[in-house]
């Protein structure tokens, strides 16, 4: 189970806008905010921390959606928020499972996936 993930970014406000727009489709909202960090998540639990400390590096993060509509909505919203397509919504056959997923590269180069089983 994913507890939380921290992203270290250069543009805190830009990344905050991107993730709130893209992940609102899954029910994410701002949970807590500090001068140089924001925690977003669902039901009062910050699952994604965005830290504006510039210590960035490419990451891959996968979030769960309740259904395929959530995957589709994430992908569309992520592109509208400034992300780049890295895999349109569709069936992914993996060695350990087959699921429905989509991928978006965020504005600082992180690969974000949303999956529905």
């Amino acid at each position: 189970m994913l507890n939380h993930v921290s992203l270290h970014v250069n543009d805190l406000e830009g990344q905050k806008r991107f993730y709130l727009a893209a992940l609102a489709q899954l029910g994410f909202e701002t949970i807590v905010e500090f001068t140089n960090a924001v925690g977003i998540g669902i039901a009062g639990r910050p699952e994604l921390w965005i830290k504006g400390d510039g210590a960035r590096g490419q990451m891959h993060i996968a979030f769960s959606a309740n259904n395929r509509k959530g995957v589709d909505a994430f992908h569309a919203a992520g592109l509208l928020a400034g992300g780049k397509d890295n895999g349109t919504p569709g069936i992914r056959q993996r060695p350990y499972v087959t699921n429905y997923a989509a991928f978006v590269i965020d504005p600082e180069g992180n690969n974000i996936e949303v999956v529905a089983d």
Side-chain angles (χ1 to χ4, degrees), residues 63-71 98-102 114-117:
F63 295 97
S64 295
N66 291 328
N67 53 46
R68 292 180 179 194
K69 285 184 180 183
V71 173
T98 298
N99 55 25
Y100 188 84
V114 171
V115 178
D117 292 324

Side-chain angles (χ1 to χ4, degrees), residues 24-111:
Q25 311 307 313
L26 305 177
F28 278 66
E29 61 187 357
T30 299
I31 305 299
V32 63
E33 195 161 359
F34 300 104
T35 303
N36 206 27
V38 61
I40 67 173
I42 300 171
R45 183 173 160 235
E47 298 175 41
L48 175 62
W49 286 93
I50 305 167
K51 299 179 178 185
D53 58 9
R56 69 186 184 119
Q58 185 179 23
M59 295 185 69
H60 172 85
I61 303 167
F63 295 97
S64 295
N66 291 328
N67 53 46
R68 292 180 179 194
K69 285 184 180 183
V71 173
D72 295 344
F74 156 78
H75 188 262
L79 297 180
L80 285 174
K84 295 180 183 172
D85 176 48
N86 197 33
T88 59
I91 298 293
R92 303 293 193 272
Q93 293 184 335
R94 306 169 203 241
Y96 54 92
V97 68
T98 298
N99 55 25
Y100 188 84
F103 300 82
V104 172
I105 301 294
D106 78 14
E108 291 201 18
N110 297 296
N111 184 33

